[in-house]
Amino acid sequence: MLRACVCLPPLACLAMIAGCAQSDQISRDPEPYDGISASEKITLAGTEPFWSIRIDGEEATFSSPDQPDGTPFAVSRFAGNNGLGFSGELEGQSVQIALTPGECSDGMSDRVYPLTATIALGESTLYGCGYTDKQPFTGDPSP
C-alpha cells in the first residue's frame, strides 16, 4: 500500500512525516486531494492514549477518557496533494490534522478504516484511523 503525507505548514509538516508510511515510490498528484467533500462529517480515533476527533465543517471536537463530553475548537480545512489537512487551536495548543487515504486498523477491533490520521497536538503526535459519514469503516459496528 502506498501512502504519503499531506503537506502542512512547514513546522507541522516535519512532525507529520514521522507518521507517514515509508515507500520507495511516493505518488505525487499535481491536483489537490478531493476524496472527502466539505459536507462529509469526519470521525478520527486512536488508541494509546484513547482519543477521538469529530469534524463537521469548520468545527472539531476533541474527546478523551478525561474529556468524554469533548472540547470544541475551530478548524481550517486545506487540501494537499495526497490527502486532506485541518489546522486549529485547542486550549492554547496548535493542532494540525493530516488525513491520507488508505486502509487503517486500530489494532483493537476487526474494523478496517478508509483513512489514516496523524495529529500534531502541541508537542504530542497522535496516530489513528478515520472514516466519514459517506466513507464508513467496515467490520463490527460495536466491537
Side-chain angles (χ1 to χ4, degrees):
M1 173 179 13
L2 184 62
R3 293 183 284 182
C5 279
V6 173
C7 185
L8 299 171
L11 293 176
C13 195
L14 292 175
M16 295 298 170
I17 289 171
C20 290
Q22 297 296 319
S23 173
D24 292 338
Q25 298 177 349
I26 295 179
S27 169
R28 301 247 185 242
D29 186 345
E31 297 299 317
Y33 178 76
D34 65 356
I36 301 171
S37 74
S39 65
E40 289 180 71
K41 292 175 178 61
I42 302 167
T43 301
L44 311 173
T47 60
E48 314 260 347
F50 287 99
W51 58 270
S52 69
I53 296 177
R54 296 187 190 275
I55 302 170
D56 186 359
E58 294 182 351
E59 183 171 288
T61 303
F62 176 83
S63 300
S64 69
D66 294 337
Q67 301 171 325
D69 294 332
T71 303
F73 63 102
V75 292
S76 298
R77 173 189 172 113
F78 53 94
N81 288 347
N82 294 304
L84 185 62
F86 293 88
S87 62
E89 188 173 298
L90 173 63
E91 297 179 332
Q93 295 186 74
S94 173
V95 178
Q96 300 292 327
I97 301 169
L99 304 177
T100 53
E103 287 186 357
C104 183
S105 169
D106 60 17
M108 297 187 71
S109 70
D110 291 329
R111 291 179 178 174
V112 176
Y113 298 86
L115 302 168
T116 298
T118 306
I119 294 87
L121 175 58
E123 298 294 318
S124 301
T125 302
L126 305 173
Y127 303 98
C129 300
Y131 64 96
T132 76
D133 56 334
K134 295 180 183 172
Q135 301 175 56
F137 61 83
T138 58
D140 189 352
S142 303

